[in-house]
Amino acid sequence: MSAPGRRPVAVIGATGMVGQAMTQVLEERGFPVAEYVPVATEGSSGRKIDAFGRSWVIRGTAGLDFGGIGYCFFTAGAAVSRELIPSAVAKGCRVVDNTTAFRMDAGVPLVVPEINGRRVTPDTPLVSCPNCTTINLVMTLAPIAQLASLKRVVVTAFQSVSGAGRKALDELDHQIEADCKNQAPRTQTFDKPIAFNCIPQIGEITPSGYSAEEEKIIEETRKILEMPSLDVVPTSVRVPIRVGHALSVNVELAGAVELDDLKALWNRSDGLTYSDEPPTPLEVAGGDTVVVGRLRRDGTRPHAFSYWAVGDNLRKGAATNSVQIAELLLACESV
């Protein structure tokens, strides 16, 4: 029996980088976990994981029963989410999905709590967490839209290797070591070497000419901001950074905005800050704040400007945003 006010919580994909960060954030933010249910691949089943003051046995997904689980976080890939989430919801579990499975489903809220947390209601059984790059982008765009209507957003995303998982990080390390030894780099996760390199395509190219990752940025940004016709022009680049995504953004507005007013608004916005010293991914790794810098006018277009933004893709870009969503669901229980 759970302690009063506490709930059994499951993390599907608990041994992955986002799953581990999610567990850490749940602990940091004091989420009321009565029992922790770590779930991973069958190969990890039976191993133990330390969290919330004790050790827990990792379970596999085969035959997983969601009965009695209060909250479930999914971060094991879209195929697993599509297979298991209907069962979890049917058993009365509140679900936060950190995969692409239901993001563009019209009946599923796609939520960044600082922007559209109102979408989470007492009747919401399932909420999707956006793509890590989208979260950082809309965190900066939403305050701008309070000052003037957005017309066009051009963004280049410099995405760290951790966005592709633990194996990708290991590949980066091995390639750096191979370079130091004057050996040929081994490539498995990526088609080309990532160490000392940039790969200007993340995901398969779609009929539109954009990559799958770029399509996510377009569609999710429009859904979150409730601007279905907003012009969004993205380019996603994988760069040899361990943690932290960076964005180079150019925005055109329908009307004039004073840059000092925008800086002040960013600084007043939850989870966001402006820095006169240009921020770097290394400086934001391990934190939950999206940091903006290098704001300047674009003299080639009316009411346009450019800026730079960085954020931790594993935390605010995934785990922290997911836990914040769960906190909104938790608050709904008392409504």
Side-chain angles (χ1 to χ4, degrees):
M1 188 76 175
S2 299
R6 307 185 76 81
R7 290 119 178 110
V9 172
V11 174
I12 315 301
T15 58
M17 296 195 71
V18 172
Q20 290 175 333
M22 207 166 285
T23 303
Q24 179 181 348
V25 173
L26 284 165
E27 289 189 276
E28 289 175 358
R29 296 177 71 93
F31 197 84
V33 177
E35 178 187 359
Y36 176 55
V37 183
V39 180
T41 61
E42 299 305 319
S44 297
S45 180
R47 288 168 41 200
K48 290 187 176 181
I49 188 170
D50 292 332
F52 309 101
R54 54 163 287 189
S55 292
W56 308 87
V57 176
I58 298 173
R59 307 183 192 181
T61 56
L64 183 63
D65 183 5
F66 291 96
I69 295 176
Y71 285 79
C72 193
F73 298 87
F74 278 79
T75 181
V80 173
S81 289
R82 292 191 192 99
E83 177 186 356
L84 297 181
I85 284 178
S87 299
V89 171
K91 289 292 183 74
C93 186
R94 293 291 191 102
V95 175
V96 181
D97 185 25
N98 193 57
T99 78
T100 61
F102 299 99
R103 284 178 185 163
M104 299 313 298
D105 188 316
V108 177
L110 184 64
V111 172
V112 177
E114 295 89 342
I115 298 172
N116 63 342
R118 66 189 183 282
R119 294 296 175 191
V120 178
T121 72
D123 299 322
T124 307
L126 166 63
V127 182
S128 278
C129 179
N131 173 271
C132 47
T133 302
T134 303
I135 290 174
N136 288 346
L137 178 62
V138 297
M139 284 285 289
T140 68
L141 292 177
I144 299 172
Q146 295 178 32
L147 300 177
S149 297
L150 301 173
K151 286 184 63 178
R152 186 170 186 261
V153 177
V154 181
V155 55
T156 300
F158 302 92
Q159 298 180 224
S160 64
V161 174
S162 59
R166 174 64 64 186
K167 290 182 179 179
L169 267 181
D170 290 343
E171 186 166 309
L172 171 64
D173 291 340
H174 289 147
Q175 288 178 2
I176 292 172
E177 183 179 355
D179 183 83
C180 292
K181 296 178 178 178
N182 201 29
Q183 297 173 349
R186 184 187 72 216
T187 58
Q188 291 179 322
T189 305
F190 304 115
D191 293 334
K192 298 180 180 181
I194 185 59
F196 312 106
N197 200 16
C198 294
I199 304 175
Q201 179 184 331
I202 301 177
E204 297 297 320
I205 297 298
T206 70
S208 69
Y210 288 107
S211 71
E213 185 76 6
E214 291 158 354
E215 288 279 11
K216 294 176 195 174
I217 296 171
I218 296 170
E219 295 170 353
E220 294 176 21
T221 298
R222 289 171 173 172
K223 182 175 180 178
I224 294 164
L225 297 179
E226 299 180 44
M227 300 177 184
S229 60
L230 178 64
D231 289 336
V232 182
V233 186
T235 301
S236 291
V237 184
R238 188 71 72 191
V239 294
I241 296 169
R242 295 183 64 81
V243 177
H245 287 359
L247 307 175
S248 175
V249 189
N250 180 272
V251 177
E252 184 177 3
L253 304 178
V257 166
E258 293 296 327
L259 298 190
D260 285 343
D261 291 342
L262 179 53
K263 290 179 184 179
L265 184 55
W266 275 331
N267 280 326
R268 292 196 303 270
S269 301
D270 291 340
L272 192 62
T273 190
Y274 184 84
S275 173
D276 290 324
E277 195 68 32
T280 67
L282 191 62
E283 293 163 335
V284 300
D288 294 322
T289 301
V290 177
V291 185
V292 189
R294 292 218 59 212
L295 178 63
R296 70 268 189 201
R297 293 283 183 191
D298 175 356
T300 69
R301 304 178 74 90
H303 312 313
F305 50 86
S306 298
Y307 61 89
W308 172 259
V310 292
D312 186 316
N313 53 294
L314 297 177
R315 289 184 62 98
K316 180 54 185 173
T320 302
N321 197 78
S322 295
V323 175
Q324 288 177 298
I325 291 170
E327 290 169 347
L328 292 177
L329 290 167
L330 191 66
C332 287
E333 293 184 13
S334 60
V335 175

